[in-house]
Amino acid sequence: GIVLELLKEAMVSKFGDTKGFLIDGYPRELKEAEEFESKIGEPKLVFCLDCSAETMSSRLLMRNQSSHHFDNAETINEGIESYYQASKPVIVYYERKAQLCKVN
């Protein structure tokens, strides 16, 4: 609820000064998508960056080498699996509405 309220405030404050909004990483779950639509409105388009688990894993492991992240392969794979489980219903939801654009 807090994230949604912050998004709403930011969008309302810029309304009229912009052609639209690009919201990165939200909604992550179906419940958030439904709440966004009921409190703010339906998005015109939803982008989904379609990336294999292998690519995500290798990029996250490379990130470990160049930063202070210390996730191991097992932790990364668990996070990726959790991401897929949470985002799959959101992707299906927007596919049914013909608002989804998958980007490889």
Side-chain angles (χ1 to χ4, degrees), residues 15-71:
F15 192 75
D17 295 338
T18 183
K19 294 180 183 179
F21 300 94
L22 178 62
I23 302 169
D24 181 19
Y26 190 88
R28 291 184 186 262
E29 298 178 356
L30 184 56
K31 177 183 161 197
E32 293 173 339
E34 292 167 341
E35 288 175 353
F36 182 90
E37 290 184 12
S38 73
K39 293 185 179 180
I40 296 175
E42 283 194 22
K44 291 183 181 176
L45 184 61
V46 175
F47 288 101
C48 172
L49 302 180
D50 196 12
C51 184
S52 72
E54 294 80 19
T55 299
M56 283 192 275
S57 180
S58 68
R59 289 181 182 175
L60 289 168
L61 287 169
M62 283 191 298
R63 179 184 74 173
N64 280 347
Q65 296 171 0
S66 64
S67 69
H68 297 293
H69 289 91
F70 299 106
D71 295 329

